[in-house]
């Protein structure tokens, strides 16, 4: 009776330990599966990180290129503005010169008219003197 009780007690403890072992094995299997899933996810995250790093490098290169283009365009704009300013000053000088030339032309036309009028008067006087 005593040994049967001990046997049943040990058998019950063994069954409990076997159940605990089975649950522990299931947890280990689940843990291993979770580790594999996490390792796979980590691999994907690593690949995504590499892709992002490459994308970032390309974006930085594009940004540098855009900055150089902006500086080049600013320089070209300044040069164009300087050319426009010089052209405006040249136009103003040419307009002044045109005005002066027109005044000189008018003055010369008036002188020619005076000479022509004087010649007409001389010829009239000569005709009147002959007649």
């Amino acid at each position: 009776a005593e040994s049967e009780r001990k046997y049943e007690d040990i058998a019950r403890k063994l069954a409990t330990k076997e159940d605990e072992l089975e649950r522990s094995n299931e947890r280990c299997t689940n843990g291993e599966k979770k580790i594999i899933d996490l390792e796979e996810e980590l691999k994907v995250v690593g690949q995504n990180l590499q892709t992002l790093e490459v994308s970032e490098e390309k974006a930085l290169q594009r940004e540098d290129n855009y900055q150089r283009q902006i500086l080049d365009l600013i320089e070209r704009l300044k040069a164009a503005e300087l050319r426009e300013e010089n052209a405006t000053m040249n136009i103003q000088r040419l307009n002044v010169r045109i005005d002066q030339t027109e005044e000189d032309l008018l003055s010369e036309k008036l002188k020619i008219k005076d000479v022509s009028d004087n010649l007409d008067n001389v010829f009239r006087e000569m005709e009147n003197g002959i007649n």
Side-chain angles (χ1 to χ4, degrees):
E2 174 84 24
S3 52
E4 280 183 34
R5 189 180 55 74
K6 283 185 179 180
Y7 173 78
E8 287 175 6
D9 198 30
I10 291 174
R12 209 175 30 253
K13 286 181 182 179
L14 177 63
T16 303
K17 292 295 179 187
E18 285 177 344
D19 285 344
E20 287 177 6
L21 176 64
E22 190 175 327
R23 285 194 304 270
S24 293
N25 283 338
E26 284 178 19
R27 284 198 312 266
C28 282
T29 303
N30 288 339
E32 287 172 350
K33 183 181 180 310
K34 193 170 190 175
I35 287 172
I36 290 171
D37 289 346
L38 288 173
E39 285 175 343
E40 191 62 34
E41 187 177 336
L42 181 61
K43 183 179 171 185
V44 169
V45 167
Q47 290 170 341
N48 288 344
L49 181 61
Q50 286 178 338
T51 302
L52 287 173
E53 287 172 347
V54 168
S55 295
E56 179 187 23
E57 182 63 30
K58 288 180 180 178
L60 289 173
Q61 289 173 354
R62 282 194 309 271
E63 181 180 1
D64 287 345
N65 186 34
Y66 292 149
Q67 289 293 338
R68 282 192 297 276
Q69 286 178 357
I70 287 170
L71 292 175
D72 179 55
L73 289 172
I74 288 171
E75 288 300 315
R76 288 170 45 193
L77 175 63
K78 287 179 183 176
E81 287 173 342
L82 183 63
R83 286 193 310 272
E84 185 266 342
E85 185 178 322
N86 288 336
T88 300
M89 287 191 296
N90 282 338
I91 288 171
Q92 289 172 348
R93 280 195 295 268
L94 289 173
N95 282 335
V96 167
R97 191 165 169 204
I98 287 171
D99 289 345
Q100 289 172 344
T101 304
E102 286 176 344
E103 286 176 18
D104 291 346
L105 178 63
L106 182 60
S107 174
E108 292 301 317
K109 282 183 177 180
L110 289 174
K111 286 179 186 177
I112 290 172
K113 185 177 182 319
D114 285 345
V115 169
S116 177
D117 288 345
N118 283 339
L119 274 175
D120 283 346
N121 286 338
V122 167
F123 284 134
R124 251 189 318 258
E125 288 175 2
M126 284 175 59
E127 278 183 3
N128 288 340
I130 294 178
N131 292 334

